[in-house]
Amino acid sequence: MKGYRDYFLRKLGWFAITVVVAFILNFTLPRLMPGDPVAAIVARMAQGMSNATGVQAVYEQYTELFATDRPIPEQFFIYIRNVLNGDFGYSISQYPRTVGEVINASVWWTIALQFPAIIVGWILGNTLGAMAAYLRKGFDRVLLPVSLFLSNIPPFGMAVILLVIFAVNLKWLPTSGGYRFDMVPNSSWEFVWSVIVHYQLPFWSIVLITIGGQAIGMRSMAIYELNADYVKYARFLGIKDSKIIRYVFRNAMLPQITGLALSIGTMVFGAVVAEIIFNYPGIGSTMLTAVLGGDYPLISAATLIITFMVLIAFFALEIIYGLIDPRIKAAQSE
Amino acid sequence: MSKVILEVNELTTNYVTRFREKIYAVDHVSLKVEEGKSVGIAGESGCGKSTLALSLMGYYFAPLHYSSGEIIVDGRNISGMDPDDVRKTILGREISYIPQAAMNALNPTQRVINFIEDVIQAHYPKTTKKEIYELARERFELLGLPAEVLRKYPVELSGGMKQRTVIATSVILSPKVLIADEPSSALDVTSQKMVIKMIMDLMNKGIIKALIFITHELPLLYNVTDDIMVMYAGQIVERGTAEQMVFDPIHPYTRALMGSIIVPEAGLRDVKLAAIPGTPPNLKNPPSGCRFADRCKFVKPECRAISVGLRDAGEGRAYRCIIPEEDLRKAYQSEG
Ligand SMILES: Nc1ncnc2c1ncn2[C@@H]1O[C@H](COP(=O)(O)OP(=O)(O)OP(=O)(O)O)[C@@H](O)[C@H]1O
Ligand SMILES: [Mg+2]
């Protein structure tokens, strides 16, 4: 167990380092963007104002509010303190809403969309890949090219294809939004139904992309495992295939868990893209508006939240993986 | 003459390659193993030793196919039996196998005891886990392995320990015949000795009734088995007692193989070391005459024309060469 504790602590250490680095990058990168966002807001606020000193006063007021006149290191420490207090400041593009409010209104849409989609895609992909490895022949001949195709179209490509087929041509499903634009969120059946209908295209576009990559990975892992010496040995001792297949899939599945961790980053990216294409009210769309509006408190916060979600998922998977795969445990205790 | 446990008559089996070519890796092989006896099978890499092992267990899974001949295990003819039935009733129970890559033979994510449970329950589904644990513990201790091994994952065991665990697992059902396929070749000298001693213990302690020991190092067999067969390109080229084969080989290939040992056994240190020049023929289309002709020092023109069967040399000895025994011996003497 000592080995596993060391493993856990080392992973935790890396997790902490990554969080810090991500935090710094999240803060600095948006501030390196060209353009003066405060000037942009002021320009919007000051429309119709003819008094130059009035405009100047508004500008100064906002500069102070967003602390953009302070040196960057100082801004950084203020930022850390505020983030630790759960205060991300004001959104520039959606002023006077706070970043916290903006994110809170969108992040749950993202979580409700991405988590189920990635998990469903992972399970379906792995099942199909395992079946292809075991059945070979016709099933494999169809699945492999399809998966290769799926995993190679860029995320926006998948979203656009589904959009064109099911929303534009067949008109079965809505083209954009998280619910009908003329509705106000409430708990009526009508609203829930609208949410479900709007959920389908972004959901399946993420699922399909995930399936492709996972199926290919699982297929080759399972083919490799099916040829392993322990499979033959189990047969030599008279064990039934139905039992042996359980060994094989378990062993092939375990590295796929790391695969899941590794691809969560890409998947989240894909999912963000899907949100943008379908104009889904999640954090991806929020981020797009933030980028277009030069809204760096919001960009920082949104990226930070996404990065956090990815890192936590990653960390959790590695910890679980280390627990259930004795190969990792043994490698640690050597 | 004691009871024959395993009898193989003119067994021929083949691989089918991806290009539908047939490779006869076991070609009209006959052998007999009596109760309490051990037989060694020696030959260079690729001569068909492992294929012979699989074939005589009735282990026919693609690409290996049964072609002709008989396999009789303890009086029961299993040739042509359905592979699934073979698995249920023969493998692990009547005939068991220690695979060549024994080091990787255990599932890395399964504890040793759980695998043993699966093995025993595959044949005796009603056995309880407790009974299995008791049996395994007893068997492991009898063979000098600590019982803690049972609770371990294979990755937690050293190479030699893994090998011995596989051996103990292979004989957990006390099979009549055990086939050990190069059980010691990947190990250091100390572990090798331990493994060989362990296998001989299996015989001495009555856990198995007969042993087939496969190796590419012919001299290694001298201290391990009663009889030896030498294979070349899918065929048996000579058979005799261990004593005869090691100190008085008849076939030029056996003689050459004796000279190409890698680890000299005690008492055999004066044997000169030399690899056999040339390579064995391709089994996809073996030459029509003697298969060893191209590499034989004593080759004659007729060797390539006539294919010769095994010739009886008395006392159960046989060799596959058109040159008579006396002439071969004379040639060896003049060679020195
Ligand atoms: N799966 C396979 N498909 C086709 N041919 C095979 C296959 N396995 C083995 N062979 C061929 O059968 C012949 C005998 O192989 P086998 O593994 O029985 O040799 P071996 O004597 O056990 O060699 P080694 O000492 O290297 O273990 C070889 O020529 C090999 O090319
Ligand atoms: Mg072999």
Side-chain angles (χ1 to χ4, degrees), chain A residues 225 228-241 243-244 247-248 250-251 254 324-327 329-330 333-334, chain B residues 54 57 59 61 87 91-92 95-97 99 101 104-110 115 118-119 122-123 153 155-156 166 169-170:
Chain A
E225 291 286 338
D229 288 326
Y230 69 80
V231 170
K232 292 184 196 128
Y233 185 54
R235 280 188 185 145
F236 289 141
L237 296 183
I239 295 179
K240 283 201 220 80
D241 268 352
K243 186 123 226 165
I244 296 175
Y247 303 166
V248 166
R250 184 189 146 90
N251 291 352
L254 289 174
I324 56 182
D325 191 336
R327 288 170 291 192
K329 247 193 288 184
S333 50
E334 262 158 23
Chain B
L54 303 188
M57 287 194 289
Y59 183 95
F61 289 97
R87 213 184 321 183
L91 298 183
I95 311 182
S96 200
Y97 185 60
N104 309 320
L106 295 170
N107 177 0
T109 61
Q110 193 179 29
F115 180 61
D118 287 351
V119 173
H123 298 279
Y153 287 104
V155 275
E156 297 168 322
V166 169
T169 306
S170 288

Side-chain angles (χ1 to χ4, degrees), chain B residues 16-325:
Chain B
V16 177
T17 68
R18 279 195 296 155
F19 310 108
R20 314 261 148 147
E21 299 155 311
K22 284 189 174 178
I23 296 178
Y24 290 93
V26 171
D27 194 347
H28 295 277
V29 170
S30 302
L31 69 94
K32 235 182 227 172
V33 192
E34 289 169 17
E35 185 162 344
K37 292 276 178 187
S38 54
V39 171
I41 298 174
E44 285 168 294
S45 183
C47 71
K49 305 180 298 290
S50 300
T51 311
L52 174 60
L54 303 188
S55 302
L56 52 83
M57 287 194 289
Y59 183 95
Y60 296 108
F61 289 97
L64 182 61
H65 297 271
Y66 167 83
S67 167
S68 62
E70 263 185 342
I71 308 162
I72 298 157
V73 187
D74 205 19
R76 178 161 159 215
N77 191 336
I78 65 160
S79 31
M81 201 162 132
D82 178 57
D84 283 331
D85 290 338
V86 169
R87 213 184 321 183
K88 246 181 265 162
T89 60
I90 305 292
L91 298 183
R93 188 162 148 176
E94 300 285 313
I95 311 182
S96 200
Y97 185 60
I98 303 169
Q100 192 158 359
M103 220 75 98
N104 309 320
L106 295 170
N107 177 0
T109 61
Q110 193 179 29
R111 290 179 206 275
V112 173
I113 185 68
N114 296 132
F115 180 61
I116 292 178
E117 281 163 9
D118 287 351
V119 173
I120 295 182
Q121 284 175 342
H123 298 279
Y124 305 99
K126 295 212 183 84
T127 338
T128 65
K129 290 194 172 184
K130 201 158 172 296
E131 289 165 341
I132 293 172
Y133 179 77
E134 278 313 307
L135 184 112
R137 190 183 54 83
E138 221 169 273
R139 180 56 56 84
F140 270 54
E141 280 170 357
L142 179 68
L143 294 171
L145 285 164
E148 296 92 78
V149 169
L150 291 170
R151 295 257 174 247
K152 297 244 159 104
Y153 287 104
V155 275
E156 297 168 322
L157 303 172
S158 71
M161 191 56 96
K162 250 188 265 183
Q163 195 95 3
R164 292 161 66 203
T165 302
V166 169
I167 297 173
T169 306
S170 288
V171 297
I172 201 79
L173 294 169
S174 307
K176 291 177 183 129
V177 186
L178 175 69
I179 305 174
D181 194 350
E182 313 229 11
S184 62
S185 57
L187 301 172
D188 59 273
V189 182
T190 329
S191 310
Q192 267 191 14
K193 293 238 156 75
M194 213 131 85
V195 159
I196 289 173
K197 181 178 171 298
M198 185 173 170
I199 289 177
M200 293 175 80
D201 268 0
L202 297 175
M203 285 288 277
N204 299 334
K205 293 185 173 158
I207 296 172
I208 56 172
K209 291 190 174 144
L211 170 70
I212 295 177
F213 193 104
I214 295 175
T215 178
H216 57 266
E217 292 171 57
L218 171 54
L220 179 78
L221 293 172
Y222 176 61
N223 292 317
V224 180
T225 62
D226 301 306
D227 296 322
I228 296 177
M229 296 185 354
V230 168
M231 273 185 91
Y232 188 76
Q235 299 176 326
I236 291 181
V237 293
E238 185 171 358
R239 77 161 139 252
T241 64
E243 181 86 17
Q244 292 166 338
M245 296 291 281
V246 169
F247 291 109
D248 180 30
I250 299 176
H251 196 281
Y253 179 66
T254 313
R255 204 175 129 82
L257 208 55
M258 270 308 295
S260 69
I261 54 173
I262 297 158
V263 184
E265 280 293 294
L268 297 169
R269 292 200 189 280
D270 49 342
V271 183
K272 58 180 183 296
L273 297 176
I276 310 169
T279 50
N282 186 341
L283 286 174
K284 275 177 201 159
N285 38 39
S288 52
C290 170
R291 295 186 176 180
F292 188 56
D294 282 346
R295 302 168 76 189
C296 184
K297 282 195 226 169
F298 311 98
V299 65
K300 293 180 176 174
E302 55 269 37
C303 289
R304 295 182 209 279
I306 307 164
S307 90
V308 62
L310 274 173
R311 294 168 65 164
D312 193 11
E315 310 164 49
R317 281 197 93 173
Y319 66 102
R320 188 188 293 271
C321 185
I322 56 166
I323 309 173
E325 191 184 337

